[in-house]
Amino acid sequence: MAAALLASTSDSKWVQFYKNELAADPSMSTAVGAIRTLMAFIQQSDASTLFELRSTLKNVVDQLVQSTNTKYTSVESACELFMRFITLKGEESFDQDFNQYKKLLYESGNVFLGKAMVARDRIAPKAEQFIRDGATILTHARSRSVAAVLLAAAKKNRLFSVYVTESPPLGLKMMELLTDAGIPVTLIPDAAVGYIIERVDFVIVGAEAVVESGGIVNSIGTYQMSMAAKIHNKPFYAVAESLKFVRMFPLRQGDIPCETGGKELRPILDYTPPSFISLLFTDLGVLTPSAISDELIKLYC
């Protein structure tokens, strides 16, 4: 039975399901897409024991993480938190028919998914208060969480303008999204960050992962943006759902294995140390980098 179940978790099925979920809803975060994939797997699984279900779920998680090309992603952290949420109490409370128990797991998963889906909505009111009339803001590429913050401020009739780095094609998509909401946007080359930094009031970026030190892993170019902000005494803010908090502690750029391009060096992510970050806007509250380790303990213990 176990072998059959492992065979049923083929890459082509569950990774493709995950990609289809993201394609169907461009506003969906990769973390939520991963959770929806695990929910679908639980619903279709014919596992007959908790151990079997956990093993096959882990197999799907591994496939999803591998599909992102790096371990420093919200996919891995979201899946780990999801697994803990739905199964940690399983052995304590499992005293009934396993099919019925799987239904309970699925219901618990729905609760977790619901919290994950409203995380951005919980962040936006906390972060938009930092945007004042007349502000000039710099952001990097496209972040759905940053977009939610900016759109929330625009809905409150705040008047501000935004510089967006190109990071083709993500910056253009961010510009179109903000422009449609009536926000003045200027698209700039990634290499122009140092040139433009003196014109902005603060920098706000998303994060692919928030690590134990309070630093962030994000699209390549974030680190140099944070350095420019530091030199010019500009606040540097990061926006991230708690699903993106990961139990990892990179010390240097080389600790993030995310290079592509064969003979050409084309890193896709970089690490921004906590010393360059002013505040993190999260669904758990507005946090300093030093507070992240305590929040990780609460999440995973």
Side-chain angles (χ1 to χ4, degrees), residues 71-73 76-77 80-81 84 209-213 242-250 292-293 295-301:
K71 289 177 68 65
Y72 285 87
T73 67
E76 182 172 40
S77 57
E80 184 175 357
L81 287 169
R84 291 175 65 84
V210 179
V211 299
E212 290 186 50
S213 64
S242 57
L243 282 175
K244 297 181 177 181
F245 290 14
V246 298
R247 295 186 295 177
M248 296 180 181
F249 207 109
I292 296 300
S293 58
E295 295 300 330
L296 269 166
I297 291 171
K298 295 175 187 176
L299 283 172
Y300 285 94
C301 294

Side-chain angles (χ1 to χ4, degrees), residues 175-192:
M175 183 182 75
E176 291 172 348
L177 176 62
L178 299 180
T179 300
D180 288 345
I183 300 172
V185 180
T186 302
L187 196 66
I188 65 170
D190 289 29

